[in-house]
Amino acid sequence: MSLEITALDAGYGPVPVLRDVSLQVNANEAVAIVGSNGAGKTTLVRAICGLSTPTSGKICFDGQDITYHAGHLRPKTGIAVVLETRGLFGELTVSDNLRIAEVSGINVARPAGFQHFTLEDVFNLFPVVREKKDTRVELLSGGQQQMVAVARALLLQPRLLILDELTTGLAPKVVQEILLALAALRTRGMSLLIIEQNIKLAATMTDRAYVMSLGKVVYEIGHGGWEQALADDVLTKAYLHG
Ligand SMILES: Nc1ncnc2c1ncn2[C@@H]1O[C@H](COP(=O)(O)OP(=O)(O)OP(=O)(O)O)[C@@H](O)[C@H]1O
Ligand SMILES: [Mg+2]
């Protein structure tokens, strides 16, 4: 698995947001994108997922140029996302929400050795999702819905899972549960791109990071660089400028 973004510009209609963004996520990596409100993190996620069209630059997945591929093809490519707006069907049960993804994920071609996720796998990762499987999603708490959203993304059989602010507003205990689940995913060889406001949490979840401000990548935290970065005021400055 490799995701390579080169010199990407993207925005909303005539309003530019991302400017010259380049980054990579490699096989078995967990990478964070951090930055203040409005820095452009979600805009970047939307571009990676084909939900917005870049104005220039390139997005490659496993060497294939997917910049202008339609968003609905991303799961087939191997990319799944949990957006800030979770996009679940509230009036359907948890099981029905999961089944929709399961069907979409059934026929995707994956490399030899790829461990497909079953319903049982996602129930084991998130026991509360099993407990609530017959409940309508709109009756679940925010944290429970977030777990359903991750479970659903996993049933699309992604090789890269993108999580946009998954932990926002969750109780510490639920955050811990999610951290454990993410650690389990990494042992299966899945790559993660995690958008996270809480940099301490980002540091525990990922190997390295990109810091965004005003639509640009302004700082990079390399492998093993989190500790230094947390002590470093470059990060604080990037946030203050955001
Ligand atoms: N639908 C939209 N139409 C026009 N402008 C938008 C839209 N969504 C976001 N923007 C603008 O794009 C910029 C970047 O927003 P974006 O949502 O990517 O930031 P973010 O880093 O994800 O912030 P947050 O941490 O608050 O989620 C902001 O200036 C915002 O006003
Ligand atoms: Mg956002």
Side-chain angles (χ1 to χ4, degrees):
M1 193 307 295
S2 74
L3 172 75
E4 187 161 7
I5 296 173
T6 316
L8 197 73
D9 288 5
Y12 299 89
V15 184
V17 175
L18 300 182
R19 289 174 297 155
D20 198 24
V21 169
S22 296
L23 59 85
Q24 294 93 42
V25 182
N26 300 309
N28 302 319
E29 272 195 321
V31 175
I33 297 176
V34 298
S36 57
N37 293 125
K41 304 179 299 293
T42 297
T43 307
L44 176 61
V45 168
R46 291 179 60 84
I48 297 172
C49 296
L51 297 173
S52 68
T53 311
T55 43
S56 67
K58 207 164 153 181
I59 303 172
C60 288
F61 192 78
D62 282 346
Q64 187 194 4
D65 186 344
I66 60 165
T67 319
Y68 299 107
H69 286 193
H72 71 272
L73 296 174
R74 289 302 196 269
K76 199 168 171 214
T77 309
I79 300 174
V81 64
V82 178
L83 292 167
E84 279 171 303
T85 53
R86 304 294 166 217
L88 296 166
F89 298 104
E91 68 283 14
L92 299 184
T93 64
V94 168
S95 283
D96 286 344
N97 271 271
L98 296 179
R99 241 176 251 135
I100 293 166
E102 201 185 18
V103 169
S104 312
I106 267 174
N107 287 321
V108 293
R110 291 291 178 260
F114 181 86
Q115 285 180 274
H116 280 76
F117 279 94
T118 61
L119 262 182
E120 196 55 29
D121 288 335
V122 300
F123 285 156
N124 288 340
L125 269 177
F126 298 110
V128 68
V129 174
R130 187 200 306 269
E131 270 165 46
K132 300 284 181 186
K133 68 184 168 53
D134 298 321
T135 305
R136 289 206 312 277
V137 161
E138 63 198 1
L139 303 179
L140 303 186
S141 76
Q144 291 164 347
Q145 290 190 19
Q146 263 143 299
M147 292 197 213
V148 175
V150 178
R152 186 182 61 167
L154 294 177
L155 290 170
L156 295 171
Q157 315 299 341
R159 287 181 290 145
L160 172 67
L161 176 63
I162 305 177
L163 303 171
D164 193 355
E165 311 232 352
L166 189 69
T167 66
T168 306
L170 299 187
K173 184 169 167 284
V174 180
V175 172
Q176 285 313 315
E177 269 175 62
I178 286 181
L179 290 186
L180 282 176
L182 295 183
L185 296 182
R186 296 200 58 194
T187 65
R188 296 174 69 121
M190 187 178 295
S191 298
L192 301 172
L193 183 62
I194 294 175
I195 288 71
E196 178 57 62
Q197 288 279 356
N198 179 335
I199 51 173
K200 285 196 182 134
L201 206 51
T204 66
M205 293 163 100
T206 59
D207 306 311
R208 60 187 184 86
Y210 296 92
V211 182
M212 287 187 70
S213 177
L214 300 176
K216 290 186 160 196
V217 172
V218 292
Y219 192 66
E220 230 181 290
I221 299 165
H223 271 277
W226 264 118
E227 203 175 324
Q228 181 65 40
L230 289 177
D232 192 334
D233 69 349
V234 174
L235 262 180
T236 321
K237 280 184 195 148
Y239 271 69
L240 289 176
H241 290 161

